[in-house]
Amino acid sequence: MDIQLGFQPIEKIEACALIVIAFDKESSGAGLCTGTVQKADALTGGWIREAYESGEFSGKFAETALLHRPQGLKAGRLLVIGGGKAEKFNSAELRKLAGVAIRTLKPKGIKEIALALDDPFAAEDDVAAAVEGALLGDFEPDRYKTEKKDQKSVDRFTIALPADKNDAKNALLRGKIIAESQNFARDLVSEPGNRLTPSVLAARAGEMAAECGLDCEVLDPNRMRQLGMGALLGVAQGSSEPPALIILRYKPETQQEGATHLGLVGKGITFDSGGISIKPSEGMDKMKYDMAGGAAVIGAMRAIATLKPSIPVTAVIPAVENMPGSTAQRPGDIVTTLSGKTVEVLNTDAEGRLILADAITYAKRLGCTHLVETSTLTGAIVVALGHVNVGAFSNDDALLERVLAASKAEGEKLWPMPLDDEYKEALKSAFADIPNVGNRWGGAITAAIFLKEFAEETPWVHLDIAGTAWLDEPKPFLAKGPSGVPIRTFVNLVLNWKD
C-alpha cells in the first residue's frame, strides 16, 4: 500500500473514498466541531447533520456511515467515522480510526482512500499515527491460506492535510518505519512452531539485522554451556530443536562516555507445551505466540536501526522450544543460572522466567546500564488486568516513569504492579537459592520478583504482555492474532531518551 500526503481542499480530492472524523453529539456543534466536517456536511447538502438527526450516526467511537457519490466532492464515496468525545481524542485514537477506515473499506474493494485531517488533529504525531493505523489495519495473518477468494487490497492511502506542514513528510516516514516494524514482529508471532524454530527465529533476526545495519550475534548451545547458562539450557533440553541466544546491537555514530546503554530483553519461547508439567490441550495451539516478547524486541530494533536514536541499544532474545521429550527437565530438578544462583524447577511450565534469568544476566555483562524486558510470562496477569493493560513491574521508579510516559504517548496501556518485599516470602526453597514458582496467589508478581533477583541493582522494568500480545477476536482496527505490543513504547522510549 502506497502512503502519501495531500494538501488539496476536500472538494478537490480524487479518491474512491474520502474519510472525515466526526465526534459525538455532546461535542461542540453536535459533533461537527472541525472545519473539515462542517465543509463536508455543507458540500453534501447537510447529509452528515441529517445522519445525526435520524440516529443513523451518533459519532460514537469507530462508528461509520457511508455515502455513495456525494454531491460537491470528487471522491466516489464519503465515509464518516465516529471519533467519540472530541476532548478525549488524541493521536492514539486516530491511529485506531485509520485502521478502522482500512478494515471497513478494503473488503468493499475500494483501492484509493484519503483521510482528511484537520487542526488540532493534524500535527506531526497525528500524521505518524494515521500512517501506523493504516498499515497495522492492513495486516492479515493469512500467509498459509492457499485459497484467498476475492482477496481485496488498498493501493493508495492519502493523508489530506489543511496545509503543507514542515514536519509532515518526516512524520509519514517515521510512522511507516514503526508500523512496518510492528507488522514484521506480528508476522513472526503468527508463524507456527513447526515453521519458526529457535534457529529460524535467529536466522530471521540476522537477515533483518543485515538489511538494517545492526550487529547480530547468535550464541549456540556449546557457547551457552561454556558461559554457564544452566537455566536456559535446562528449558531447551526436552526439545530436538537447539536453543539460540540472539544479540542485536545498535550503536549511534557518536556516543558520550558513561552514557546510558539500554538493554531490551524479550522472551522467545517459539512453542510452549509446558514441558513435563504439560499444558491442557485446549488452547495449546496458541502457544506459538509465547515468543511475542522476543518478536517485539526484534521489531523494535528494526525501527531503532532506521530511526537512529542517540543512545546505544542492545537486544537479547533467548529463543527456546519447551517440549516434554525424554530428556526434558523434571519438576524438582535444580539448575545453576549464569549468575551463579541455583533454581529449583517446581513447574516446567514456568520456563520463561528461567530463560530470562540468564538473558538478563548476560545483558548486564554486555554493559547495559538499564533494562526493559517483555514477555508473555503469566496467565496470572490476565486474571489481574484482563486483555486491556500490560502489567508493568520495576525496581526503579525513574525508569518506570520513562516507560509509562512512552506507553501513554503511544496508546499502549500499561498498569504499574507492586513488588513489595512481602511477596518474596512465597519464593522459598529448601534445596536451592530460589524456586521458579511460588503459591497460586499473586502469580504475576512472584514471577516478576523472581526476575528481579537477577536484575539486582540494575534499573529494570518487566512488562508482562500475556494478556495483550494476542487478540482472540479481531478488533475494528486490527486483525485477529498478534498485536505487536509493546513495540511503539520501546521505540518512543529510545527516541526520547535524555540522560
Side-chain angles (χ1 to χ4, degrees):
M1 181 168 60
D2 180 42
I3 308 279
Q4 62 183 34
L5 297 172
F7 306 102
Q8 293 177 310
I10 60 170
E11 67 270 21
K12 295 184 178 180
I13 293 173
E14 295 184 5
C16 299
L18 171 68
I19 304 154
V20 297
I21 299 170
F23 299 95
D24 68 13
K25 289 182 178 180
E26 294 179 5
S27 299
S28 61
L32 308 180
C33 60
T34 67
T36 296
V37 175
Q38 292 172 2
K39 190 173 186 180
D41 181 60
L43 288 168
T44 56
W47 173 74
I48 298 175
R49 191 175 298 275
E50 287 179 9
Y52 276 105
E53 292 172 353
S54 68
E56 180 184 351
F57 181 80
S58 67
K60 180 181 176 182
F61 188 79
E63 185 183 29
T64 62
L66 182 64
L67 175 65
H68 290 261
R69 297 182 179 178
Q71 60 178 328
L73 297 174
K74 286 189 175 181
R77 300 164 185 81
L78 175 64
L79 179 71
V80 184
I81 302 182
K85 296 185 182 302
E87 62 272 18
K88 293 185 177 181
F89 195 74
N90 55 29
S91 61
E93 302 291 87
L94 175 58
R95 181 183 295 108
K96 293 178 182 178
L97 292 190
V100 170
I102 293 293
R103 300 190 68 78
T104 299
L105 296 172
K106 184 169 75 168
K108 301 179 187 298
I110 296 175
K111 296 287 188 181
E112 297 178 349
I113 298 172
L115 170 61
L117 300 184
D118 199 0
D119 293 324
F121 309 117
E124 183 180 354
D125 286 345
D126 298 310
V127 172
V131 173
E132 291 168 21
L135 290 171
L136 296 174
D138 195 42
F139 176 88
E140 297 291 345
D142 59 355
R143 169 181 292 189
Y144 295 108
K145 285 190 175 183
T146 58
E147 292 187 14
K148 299 180 181 179
K149 296 181 179 179
D150 301 322
Q151 187 177 32
K152 308 291 198 308
S153 64
V154 176
D155 295 337
R156 189 179 73 203
F157 184 80
T158 301
I159 299 171
L161 298 173
D164 189 350
K165 295 177 178 285
N166 293 332
D167 296 324
K169 186 176 180 180
N170 289 336
L172 184 150
L173 292 173
R174 172 164 57 91
K176 190 170 185 287
I177 289 163
I178 293 171
E180 288 176 347
S181 297
Q182 190 167 340
N183 283 342
F184 176 81
R186 293 168 77 195
D187 191 50
L188 290 176
V189 181
S190 297
E191 292 280 9
N194 66 322
R195 302 273 186 168
L196 192 81
T197 63
S199 298
V200 173
L201 180 60
R204 295 277 291 270
E207 291 167 3
M208 179 278 292
E211 292 173 2
C212 298
L214 294 170
D215 292 332
C216 180
E217 180 184 6
V218 179
L219 304 190
D220 63 15
N222 288 333
R223 182 58 180 148
M224 294 179 205
R225 290 188 192 94
Q226 292 172 2
L227 291 167
M229 295 182 175
L232 194 160
L233 290 168
V235 175
Q237 71 188 44
S239 173
S240 60
E241 296 289 344
L245 187 70
I246 305 162
I247 301 106
L248 299 169
R249 295 181 177 90
Y250 164 76
K251 298 176 183 177
E253 293 181 2
T254 58
Q255 181 180 338
Q256 294 183 347
E257 187 175 347
T260 296
H261 180 178
L262 182 64
L264 300 179
V265 181
K267 173 185 170 185
I269 300 289
T270 58
F271 187 78
D272 183 19
S273 69
I276 295 296
S277 307
I278 197 165
K279 294 178 180 289
S281 59
E282 184 178 355
M284 194 192 289
D285 58 290
K286 207 167 73 175
M287 286 301 99
K288 65 182 183 179
Y289 99 110
D290 212 18
M291 41 65 70
V297 168
I298 294 170
M301 291 300 289
R302 182 185 184 276
I304 287 166
T306 307
L307 295 171
K308 300 188 183 307
S310 60
I311 63 169
V313 185
T314 297
V316 180
I317 303 100
V320 177
E321 188 177 64
N322 186 25
M323 297 292 282
S326 61
T327 58
Q329 67 180 1
R330 299 148 289 256
D333 283 3
I334 294 176
V335 296
T336 302
T337 65
L338 178 61
S339 71
K341 292 184 174 74
T342 57
V343 178
E344 182 182 12
V345 181
L346 297 180
N347 187 326
T348 65
D349 193 25
E351 82 298 329
R353 65 201 72 181
L354 294 172
I355 68 170
L356 289 169
D358 281 348
I360 287 169
T361 301
Y362 195 66
K364 289 160 56 182
R365 289 192 181 182
L366 293 176
C368 295
T369 60
H370 297 72
L371 297 172
V372 183
E373 167 268 314
T374 187
S375 48
T376 49
L377 201 65
T378 67
I381 199 66
V382 188
V383 175
L385 299 177
H387 298 284
V388 177
N389 279 281
V390 173
F393 304 79
S394 183
N395 64 358
D396 186 89
D397 289 343
L399 180 57
L400 178 60
E401 285 303 315
R402 287 179 186 262
V403 174
L404 290 173
S407 71
K408 184 176 181 180
E410 297 298 328
E412 292 184 323
K413 293 187 175 182
L414 270 61
W415 192 260
M417 299 288 287
L419 278 180
D420 302 90
D421 290 341
E422 289 89 340
Y423 289 107
K424 192 177 177 182
E425 295 299 314
L427 289 176
K428 289 185 176 180
S429 169
F431 308 105
D433 295 330
I434 190 171
N436 74 326
V437 293
N439 56 41
R440 64 177 296 192
W441 308 116
I445 300 171
T446 53
I449 291 280
F450 178 93
L451 295 177
K452 182 184 175 186
E453 289 293 302
F454 298 91
E456 296 176 315
E457 299 305 313
T458 302
W460 154 85
V461 169
H462 158 59
L463 303 178
D464 194 335
I465 58 172
T468 53
W470 187 269
L471 303 176
D472 286 323
E473 297 295 335
K475 300 278 189 183
F477 47 88
L478 279 182
K480 174 181 177 177
S483 67
V485 169
I487 289 174
R488 295 196 308 272
T489 296
F490 284 159
V491 176
N492 185 291
L493 174 69
V494 176
L495 290 179
N496 292 289
W497 190 282
K498 292 180 177 60
D499 284 318

